[in-house]
Amino acid sequence: MSRRARLGRAGRDASRLVGPALFTPSLHVAADHVQVGGVCAATLLVSGYPREVATGWLEPLLAYPGRLDVAWHLQPTPAAVGAARLRRQRGRLESGRRLAAAAGRLDDPEIDAAADDAADLAGRLARGEARLFTTGLYLTVHADSVGELAEDVERVTALAHSLLLTVHPARYRMLAGWATTLPLAEDLLQATRTMDTAAVAAGFPFTSADVALPDPLRPGAAPVVYGPNLSSTGVVAHDRWAGANYNSVTLATSGAGKSYLTKIDVVRSLAQGVEAHVIDPEDEYAPLATAVGGTQLSLGAPGVRLNPLDLPAHGRSDPELLTRRILFAHTFIATLAGSPVEDPVGRAALDRALLAAYAHAGISQDPATWDRPAPLLADVTAALQAEPAGQQLARLLAPFVTGSHRGLFDGPTTSTPTGHLVIYSLRALPEELRAAGTLLVLDAIWRQVADPTRRRRRLVVVDEAWLLMAHPAGARFLVRLAKAARKWWAGLALVTQDSGDLLGTDEGRAIIANAATKLLLRQDGSAAAAVQAACGLSDGETAALLAARPGDALLVAAGRRALFRAQASPREHELITTDPVDLARRHTHPATAAEVGPVHTEARRPLTPADDADPL
C-alpha cells in the first residue's frame, strides 16, 4: 500500500491542498504533531462549548501571546434541513426524558437544559428570528521544538478550558488539522457543531469584548477609564457624555464596591473638566474634596442653613418663577412631614399659606419684588396655624420650626458653595431629616445647573439614593431631574444598594429607563431577576454578577456590555478607600501611607458562563 493510501481520505485531501510538499523533507508527520519547514505544529479541535457566552468571548484566544492559528469554519444550513434535524433531536431528547421518568430515574439536568434550548431555538427558527450554521473551531499551536510545542499546547488547552471549551488533540490527523487552519476554506476534520445566528455573532472574530473608545476628534469627548476588562486584555473606558443622555445608575449590594467605583468616576471626571456635585450621606468624600481643592458643606452642623423658599437669582426672567418655587415647596413640605398632603382641603390651605408667607415678605408675582429676602419655613407654619384646615400640618412641621430639628431651617441660607467639586455631607443630619436634606440639596444643586450664564458639563451624584426614593414626593422629584438633566448639560448619577426597592416602583423604573449608562456590581439573589429584566441581561451576565467579587462590575451602555474590575492608582486609592483595614494600617504606619496599593488588584478572569449540551 502506498503512503498516500495509508493517510486515508483526510490525508488525501490534505495532500491535495499542500501539494508536492508532502513528499519533501521539509514536512514530517507524527501522531501528535507535524513539522513544517523546521517549525512544529499541533492542532486541537473543539468538541464542547459553553451554554451562555458574552459578546467577543473568543477574544482571549485571539489575543493569545504565542503563535496560535484560530480557524472557524462556517457553513449555512438550509432552513428545511435545519428544521428536520431539530425535530429529530427534540424527539430524541424528549424520548430520553420519558424513558428515564418511566424507569424511575432522576432527571438529567443536562438533557433538560438541552431540550429547553432546542424548543427555544425551534420557536425562533419558525418565526424567522435565527438561522442555523454548521461550525467547526480548530486551534493550531506553533513552536520551534517538540518540547516547546508540548508546553504551548498545555497553555492553550488551559486557556480553552477557562472559556469552558472542550478541546482534544487531532491525534493521527495532524496533517489534516494543520491544513484545516490554513486560509484555504477547507475543513478536513469535520468536527462540527450546529449554532444559531446569535451564537455565531457573539464569537465573530471581528467582535471584541472591549467598549469602543470615543472619537478623540469629537468635541467634548471625555472618556473615563474604569479598569481592566475581565473578558479581554484591554481596559474599559466609557464616555457618558457621548450617550443619548448623561445619566447613570449604579446598583450593587452593600460592600460590593459601588462607592469606590463612583469615586473613581468622580475623580477622573474632574480631570476631564467636569464640575461635580456629590450628595454624601456618610462623609466618605471629605479626603477627596480636601485633596483636589473642593468645597464641603456639612448639613446639620451648627450655623449651616438652607432656606427651601429661596428664589434662584438666575430665574428672574422666568414669569413663572414664584409659581415653580411654591410647587417645589409643596414637594419639600410633603417630604418633611413624612407623607404627601392627600386632602384637597389641606393642599389648598398649604398653597394659601405659602402665598401668604411670600406676600408677608413683600414678594408677589411682580419680578421687581423677587430680589427681596425670601420668607422662612416658620412664616409658612404661622400662616398654616391661622387656617383651621392647616393646623394639623402646622403641628407636623413644629419640630422643624421650633423643635429639636429647627437648626437647618431657622434662618436664611448661610452659603451656596461653588467650585469644581462640591460635597454636601449629610452625616450630621438626624435620620428624620435625611430625605428632606437630600431633596433640599438637590434643589440647591439644580439651581446652579439650570443657570444659563454658567452652562458647562456637570455631574450630580446622589449616593444612597434609596433615602430619597423611599418618599413618593422625593422619588418624583428625582424622576423630573433625570428627564431634564440633559437639557442643561448635566448627568444625574444615582447610586443605591436597594436594587429591589428601586425597581419595584414606577419612579425607579422610569429612572432606569432614563439612564443611558448602567453600572452593575454584585447583586443579591432576591433582586437579581428584577435587575436582569430591567437591564436586559443574559443568564450568564446575571450569574457573573451574583458571583462577582468586590470591585467587579458590568458596564451596560449604548448596547455594549463589558465586565471589568474597578481599579484605582495608589494615590487615588489612598483618597477614596473606606476599607477599615487600610485606614487602620495608614493610621498605624503613616510613613507608608503613600505606598498603599489599589484595593482591587486580583488577577483578571474571563467570563465563565455555565456549560451545557448541544441542542442539535
Side-chain angles (χ1 to χ4, degrees), residues 373-396:
L376 303 177
L377 189 62
D379 300 325
V380 178
T381 305
L384 284 171
Q385 290 174 342
E387 295 204 24
Q391 292 178 359
Q392 176 64 27
L393 182 57
R395 285 192 290 270
L396 292 176

Side-chain angles (χ1 to χ4, degrees), residues 195-415:
M195 294 185 183
D196 66 344
T197 309
V200 170
F204 200 65
F206 301 107
T207 300
S208 173
D210 290 325
V211 176
L213 293 176
D215 183 1
L217 300 179
R218 183 181 63 82
V224 170
V225 177
Y226 289 139
N229 194 319
L230 296 180
S231 301
S232 72
T233 58
V235 297
V236 173
H238 176 59
D239 183 7
R240 70 167 65 234
W241 310 100
N245 58 66
Y246 315 136
N247 302 332
S248 68
V249 173
T250 302
L251 305 178
T253 58
S254 178
K258 61 183 182 303
S259 294
Y260 193 93
L261 174 58
T262 303
K263 293 171 194 173
I264 290 177
D265 197 355
V266 168
V267 71
R268 294 177 182 174
S269 294
L270 292 174
Q272 303 287 353
V274 177
E275 181 180 299
H277 298 259
V278 181
I279 300 178
D280 180 11
E282 298 298 335
D283 204 18
E284 298 180 8
Y285 291 77
L288 178 60
T290 303
V292 302
T295 58
Q296 184 173 7
L297 181 67
S298 297
L299 275 70
V304 176
R305 295 185 296 272
L306 286 177
N307 183 10
L309 304 179
D310 281 342
L311 296 176
H314 64 80
R316 301 296 192 246
S317 59
D318 183 5
E320 301 296 327
L321 176 62
L322 182 59
T323 302
R324 298 182 192 280
R325 292 311 299 169
I326 290 177
L327 293 176
F328 170 75
H330 276 273
T331 301
F332 176 75
I333 290 175
T335 304
L336 201 62
S339 61
V341 183
E342 300 290 353
D343 181 16
V345 177
R347 289 201 301 270
L350 175 59
D351 196 66
R352 288 193 297 270
L354 288 167
L355 288 171
Y358 277 108
H360 183 72
I363 298 175
S364 65
Q365 294 290 350
D366 183 3
T369 64
W370 292 348
D371 291 328
R372 297 171 181 173
L376 303 177
L377 189 62
D379 300 325
V380 178
T381 305
L384 284 171
Q385 290 174 342
E387 295 204 24
Q391 292 178 359
Q392 176 64 27
L393 182 57
R395 285 192 290 270
L396 292 176
L397 296 178
F400 311 104
V401 176
T402 59
S404 57
H405 298 327
R406 69 181 185 278
L408 188 60
F409 315 107
D410 63 352
T413 299
T414 54
S415 64

Side-chain angles (χ1 to χ4, degrees), residues 520-541:
L520 310 175
L521 292 92
R522 186 178 65 232
Q523 299 296 317
D524 183 76
S526 61
V531 173
Q532 180 177 9
C535 301
L537 306 181
S538 67
D539 292 340
E541 290 168 339

Side-chain angles (χ1 to χ4, degrees), residues 279-283 299 335-336 408 425-441 464 466-468 471:
I279 300 178
D280 180 11
E282 298 298 335
D283 204 18
L299 275 70
T335 304
L336 201 62
L408 188 60
S425 176
L426 307 182
R427 186 173 184 178
L429 279 180
E431 194 66 30
E432 295 79 5
L433 285 178
R434 287 291 184 96
T438 303
L439 182 59
L440 195 56
V441 167
E464 303 298 347
W466 60 271
L467 292 170
L468 192 57
H471 297 265

Side-chain angles (χ1 to χ4, degrees), residues 20-46:
L22 178 64
F23 305 102
T24 65
S26 62
L27 177 63
H28 300 278
V29 181
D32 58 352
H33 72 279
V34 295
Q35 188 172 0
V36 183
V39 177
C40 298
T43 300
L44 303 172
L45 57 88
V46 178

